[in-house]
Amino acid sequence: MTLKGGATSACAACKYQRRKCIPECLLAPYFPADQTKVFQNAHKLFGVSNIVKILRSLDPSQHAEAMRSIKYQANVRDRFPVYGCLGVIRQLYYQIQMLEEEMHTVLTQLEMYRQHHHHQQQQQQHQHQHQISSMADDVISQLELGMAPSNNALPLFNQVTHQPYTMQNTYSSSDIDSPPKENVENNSLWIQHLFLDTNNHGTSNNDSPIAIQSQLLVPNSEPLADTQHQVVQDYDEIHPFFDSIDDRQSYIDTKDAEDSS
Amino acid sequence: MSSSSYSSSPCAACKFLRRKCMPDCIFAPYFPPEEPQKFANVHKIFGASNVSKLLNEVPPFQREDAVNSLAYEAEARLKDPVYGCVGAISVLQRQVITLQRELDATNANLFRYAYNEMPPLRPPQPPPPSAAGQSSGFCYPYQWNDPSDEDNERSSGGNM
């Protein structure tokens, strides 16, 4: 019912009930005059008196949210007269169940691939270790026989020095998000070789590989970032080994130390 | 009041409304006297006359489902007067969105692994709940565009 001056039109609720829409009308903010269908749905399901009863039981700050849910519920009931919002809920539960099943399947496949990748890496590592140890045996046997170290000793150093370079690149480029356990195992094997070499050549930093090894073997459950940081620190600690041998290695270690800090 | 041929007890609705339960009472099959609270809740939120009208618009074989859904919604509204059963819808919808994102990321990971032989990436962390863009942070799965004309009502399949 409009005022004589035509200043404000009645809300949809008052229009439907053919009554004067007073300024204090509780439903006016939520049922504008142009939303007749929405009001009809709400009125059909709840009824005006029940809606007003709900609003009066709430704090005014909650009215907007309550009306939003009431309108939504009524509209869904209009769309689905038999099941209403319960139908929507069941549909969502079904969706969740399907998604969880699919997730389980995908995770199972991913785990299979991960294990396969892990085994491949271990095999490669074993092969590399075997190769190095066989060369080390050759040098040792030559020394025992009183022979001068052949030129092959230098390749051994080169191989050992190259190993951390390779390991580092492998670690940084492709193992960023691989499980920390894999990297810990790889690095511990590498450190064992380093320990052999330091013993053989009487360097003064015999303690550092042991410290590094024990340090690396501990954090199996730490986040990947921490493990990576530790590896970089380990590079820094064994840095003196390679200063005189490989300038490239020292450059890389220095660069990583700066990045990690 | 009751004759020998009519000895069944009144349904919960008629008991609540204190009226004679007629043989063709529309509430009787769905509101047994053993469940008084069911009708009490439905009547409190929706009203008996509204429920009666709704049931009359629904085929008889679907009336039991309609009553059960109304009873569920009424109970939910009594427990949560602000959101009612819509609160559950919002929570479930968020869950669906989160699960879908995780599944997409995991599938992408699997694809990387299977075809590129690269180690899988970690799945992204689910986004923190945010109310940005919505006054309450609620997620309404079905959007209702209030039609100002009749045409929209017919074609209001829309997002629903």
Side-chain angles (χ1 to χ4, degrees):
Chain A
M1 189 169 156
T2 57
L3 297 175
K4 288 246 168 125
T8 51
S9 62
C11 68
C14 294
K15 214 186 237 184
Y16 180 85
Q17 295 172 87
R18 297 173 194 254
R19 66 180 189 188
K20 186 179 177 182
C21 188
I22 59 176
E24 297 83 21
C25 177
L26 212 54
L27 302 179
Y30 312 110
F31 294 114
D34 57 345
Q35 291 186 7
T36 53
K37 179 61 179 168
V38 175
F39 170 75
Q40 280 173 13
N41 293 339
H43 178 60
K44 188 177 173 184
L45 181 60
F46 291 94
V48 172
S49 58
N50 288 329
I51 295 176
V52 171
K53 214 188 298 179
I54 292 173
L55 289 181
R56 286 202 173 130
S57 70
L58 298 171
D59 191 75
S61 60
Q62 297 172 308
H63 285 183
E65 282 307 304
M67 282 310 303
R68 197 172 169 208
S69 72
I70 284 170
K71 286 197 284 186
Y72 178 83
Q73 191 174 340
N75 292 336
V76 171
R77 179 61 66 171
D78 179 68
R79 180 72 179 167
F80 306 108
V82 177
Y83 297 104
C85 285
L86 185 59
V88 174
I89 290 171
R90 282 180 181 164
Q91 199 176 6
L92 288 169
Y93 268 123
Y94 178 74
Q95 253 181 295
I96 288 169
Q97 186 185 356
M98 291 295 109
L99 285 170
E100 284 178 346
E101 282 178 11
E102 196 175 341
M103 178 69 92
H104 178 74
T105 305
V106 172
L107 286 174
T108 305
Q109 288 180 344
L110 202 57
E111 186 58 29
M112 281 169 46
Y113 277 111
R114 199 173 271 159
Q115 284 179 3
H116 177 68
H117 184 80
H118 175 64
H119 286 141
Q120 275 186 341
Q121 277 191 338
Q122 276 189 333
Q123 281 176 0
Q124 286 175 4
Q125 188 59 34
H126 284 315
Q127 285 174 1
H128 209 76
Q129 182 182 1
H130 179 71
Q131 192 179 3
I132 295 297
S133 63
S134 64
M135 295 195 67
D137 288 342
D138 289 344
V139 173
I140 290 169
S141 61
Q142 286 174 358
L143 289 175
E144 284 174 349
L145 291 174
M147 293 166 61
S150 67
N151 291 332
N152 290 333
L154 280 178
L156 175 63
F157 272 105
N158 289 335
Q159 290 214 355
V160 172
T161 59
H162 284 296
Q163 191 176 358
Y165 176 78
T166 306
M167 290 294 296
Q168 182 182 353
N169 277 342
T170 304
Y171 183 84
S172 62
S173 64
S174 65
D175 289 346
I176 294 294
D177 292 305
S178 60
K181 191 178 177 182
E182 292 178 6
N183 294 320
V184 168
E185 289 175 0
N186 290 335
N187 289 319
S188 64
L189 288 169
W190 167 61
I191 293 297
Q192 285 174 4
H193 290 298
L194 211 62
F195 185 63
L196 279 172
D197 294 325
T198 56
N199 274 338
N200 291 333
H201 298 282
T203 56
S204 59
N205 292 331
N206 286 335
D207 291 334
S208 56
I210 299 174
I212 293 163
Q213 188 174 5
S214 61
Q215 191 178 7
L216 282 176
L217 288 174
V218 167
N220 278 330
S221 59
E222 283 184 2
L224 187 65
D226 291 342
T227 307
Q228 189 174 5
H229 183 69
Q230 282 189 358
V231 171
V232 173
Q233 285 180 339
D234 296 331
Y235 286 155
D236 291 340
E237 288 187 11
I238 57 177
H239 178 77
F241 285 116
F242 304 107
D243 263 345
S244 58
I245 295 167
D246 190 352
D247 288 334
R248 282 183 309 164
Q249 191 58 47
S250 63
Y251 167 76
I252 290 163
D253 283 340
T254 305
K255 187 180 176 185
D256 284 335
E258 288 174 357
D259 289 342
S260 65
S261 61
Chain B
M1 185 165 114
S2 59
S3 61
S4 57
S5 62
Y6 179 66
S7 56
S8 57
S9 60
C11 68
C14 294
K15 232 183 202 178
F16 187 94
L17 298 171
R18 297 185 188 184
R19 67 183 192 191
K20 187 176 178 183
C21 189
M22 302 300 288
D24 60 347
C25 173
I26 195 166
F27 298 121
Y30 318 110
F31 293 103
E34 301 84 27
E35 297 176 29
Q37 196 60 44
K38 186 177 176 182
F39 180 79
N41 293 344
V42 168
H43 177 61
K44 190 169 183 182
I45 298 299
F46 302 117
S49 61
N50 287 341
V51 174
S52 171
K53 284 182 207 168
L54 284 167
L55 288 181
N56 277 320
E57 290 178 1
V58 166
F61 70 96
Q62 287 186 309
R63 284 177 185 168
E64 187 173 3
D65 289 336
V67 165
N68 289 336
S69 70
L70 286 168
Y72 172 84
E73 288 183 20
E75 192 176 347
R77 183 62 65 175
L78 285 168
K79 284 180 183 171
D80 183 357
V82 179
Y83 294 109
C85 64
V86 181
I89 291 176
S90 180
V91 168
L92 290 172
Q93 185 65 16
R94 285 178 187 274
Q95 216 172 330
V96 166
I97 290 171
T98 302
L99 276 172
Q100 188 63 59
R101 279 185 189 155
E102 285 180 12
L103 184 62
D104 291 343
T106 311
N107 269 325
N109 231 359
L110 183 65
F111 185 82
R112 273 168 50 94
Y113 226 149
Y115 293 103
N116 299 334
E117 293 300 323
M118 298 284 283
L121 296 172
R122 282 186 175 175
Q125 294 299 321
S130 162
Q134 292 184 7
S135 59
S136 61
F138 256 47
C139 193
Y140 288 79
Y142 293 104
Q143 297 300 318
W144 181 271
N145 298 319
D146 180 38
S148 54
D149 53 355
E150 295 297 320
D151 290 342
N152 244 344
E153 289 179 10
R154 293 195 200 94
S155 62
S156 62
N159 296 329
M160 294 181 73

